[in-house]
Amino acid sequence: MNRYRGRFAPTPSGPLHFGSLIAALASFLDARQAGGEWRLRIEDIDPPRCPAGAGDEIQRQLDAFGLHWDGPVLWQHARDAAYQAALERLTERGLAYPCSCSRKQWRGYPVYPGWCRNAVCEPDKPVAWRLRSDLGLRPVIWQDRLFGEQRFDPAELGDVVLKRKDGLWAYQLAVVVDDADQGITEVVRGFDLLDNTPWQRQLQDALGAAEPRYLHLPLITGEDGQKLSKQNLAPALPTRDASVRPLLHAALRALDQVPPEALATAPVTEQLAWAVETWSVARIRPRAEHPLADAQARA
Ligand code: GLU
């Protein structure tokens, strides 16, 4: 039996905001209550989307909230060799193939129809690499800890991209290789990633990697109903202790935990000690979205 090992894996497209705090806090509490480890992975595989210094700022923000991780930080920009080795393994097994087709060519199809599976259509053009989803044809099924049984038909998933035409690694490959190499047993993250999970399960299967358990969390949305993000100007988390304390309290309430009112001004170590002790996934109401206005409202 594997010991519990969780992780928080932000994309450093900017500093953390309240929405990312929810994922960080829930994954931290779940790991600590289980007596497990909690790792930090900075998912900077897409350099144009990641301003310099954002990964360091994220670490300062986590520290300010008392969310201290175990072991070294894993940076995806340093993982090229591991991703390449995984792609080669898949290619050798006939599970990955180069694909020259452009999205424009398969417009009108729900997913890429797999034209390059046996021979690349236009060998002189740049290629992306895709996973074959037509070989096993088993439905992808797993039990989400909050949302229950999930079932996806491989025909509807299509052949997911592993490496892009511009040479950048795709998120799906990077996350699966890293979760496997880091020995992650539990994935706790936002609901927006639930529909990415079936591709990750297919890839774990193709690579012979262990399958972690999954807990997807209601997504904090702004007044416009959109996920909080840098694009819709979600404010960065503060690092000043006086501002951090009430926000940590609000984040616990947003996760449907019930921290005593008096804890709202308590030091983060005290709030977290209470939260690790009493953390309960059963209290979280399973809903895809959780508007910020409700999340921060006083109970
Ligand atoms: N890097 C992804 C994000 O920030 C999360 C990846 C994951 O938790 O699997 O949205």
Side-chain angles (χ1 to χ4, degrees):
M1 182 65 189
N2 255 339
R3 191 163 177 259
Y4 186 121
R5 187 178 280 175
R7 55 32 163 216
F8 175 52
T11 301
S13 52
L16 300 179
H17 49 70
F18 191 75
S20 24
L21 174 60
I22 297 300
L25 179 60
S27 58
F28 173 89
L29 295 176
D30 204 57
R32 293 295 185 239
Q33 189 180 64
E37 285 181 33
W38 188 64
R39 298 290 175 121
L40 175 61
R41 182 164 79 228
I42 306 279
E43 301 212 315
D44 58 344
I45 31 168
D46 191 349
R49 279 185 55 213
C50 301
D56 298 328
E57 175 63 10
I58 286 173
Q59 295 179 57
R60 283 192 289 277
Q61 292 176 306
L62 290 173
D63 272 329
F65 278 79
L67 302 174
H68 305 302
W69 56 92
D70 300 306
V73 177
L74 189 74
W75 294 80
Q76 286 192 331
H77 72 252
R79 298 274 298 153
D80 199 64
Y83 304 149
Q84 188 60 43
L87 181 60
E88 279 165 21
R89 222 156 66 229
L90 293 170
T91 311
E92 279 159 19
R93 293 181 192 168
L95 296 173
Y97 64 93
C99 170
S100 63
C101 297
S102 67
R103 202 168 249 282
K104 224 162 75 196
Q105 288 170 298
W106 54 276
R107 199 175 38 205
Y109 293 84
V111 294
Y112 173 62
W115 293 321
C116 287
R117 276 175 188 158
N118 297 315
V120 59
C121 292
E122 294 174 275
D124 299 335
K125 288 222 174 135
V127 291
W129 288 79
R130 292 180 180 274
L131 181 73
R132 283 190 79 136
S133 64
D134 60 324
L135 298 175
L137 284 182
R138 272 177 293 151
V140 183
I141 303 170
W142 81 92
Q143 200 66 31
D144 188 89
R145 288 171 60 197
L146 188 58
F147 290 92
E149 184 177 286
Q150 306 294 315
R151 178 183 279 266
F152 289 80
D153 175 354
E156 285 164 19
L157 293 171
D159 292 357
V160 72
V161 171
L162 305 172
K163 189 177 191 181
R164 296 170 11 179
K165 277 189 188 167
D166 60 9
L168 291 180
W169 294 104
Y171 157 68
Q172 311 295 355
L173 179 79
V175 83
V176 166
V177 171
D178 288 345
D179 280 342
D181 286 359
Q182 289 190 287
I184 300 301
T185 62
E186 307 278 332
V187 171
V188 179
R189 61 186 180 188
F191 186 81
D192 56 325
L193 292 165
L194 186 136
D195 62 2
N196 283 253
T197 309
W199 288 308
Q200 296 172 18
R201 304 287 292 194
Q202 283 183 320
L203 256 172
Q204 285 153 1
D205 197 24
L207 286 166
E211 294 176 342
R213 292 202 305 159
Y214 289 89
L215 165 58
H216 288 91
L217 302 161
L219 201 64
I220 305 291
T221 56
E223 272 166 30
D224 54 0
Q226 297 292 311
K227 176 187 170 184
L228 291 191
S229 70
K230 208 177 65 169
Q231 285 71 31
N232 58 24
L233 304 178
L237 292 179
T239 49
R240 262 187 62 246
D241 190 44
S243 316
V244 163
R245 294 181 186 195
L247 257 189
L248 181 59
H249 196 261
L252 289 169
R253 292 197 315 270
L255 283 162
D256 300 325
Q257 310 301 298
V258 281
E261 191 54 45
L263 272 187
T265 51
V268 293
T269 44
E270 219 174 284
Q271 295 196 42
L272 290 174
W274 175 88
V276 167
E277 178 84 28
T278 60
W279 168 247
S280 162
V281 174
R283 263 199 217 108
I284 305 176
R285 275 179 292 138
R287 55 213 187 285
E289 289 179 0
H290 189 171
L292 180 63
D294 299 354
Q296 290 189 319
R298 295 274 146 168

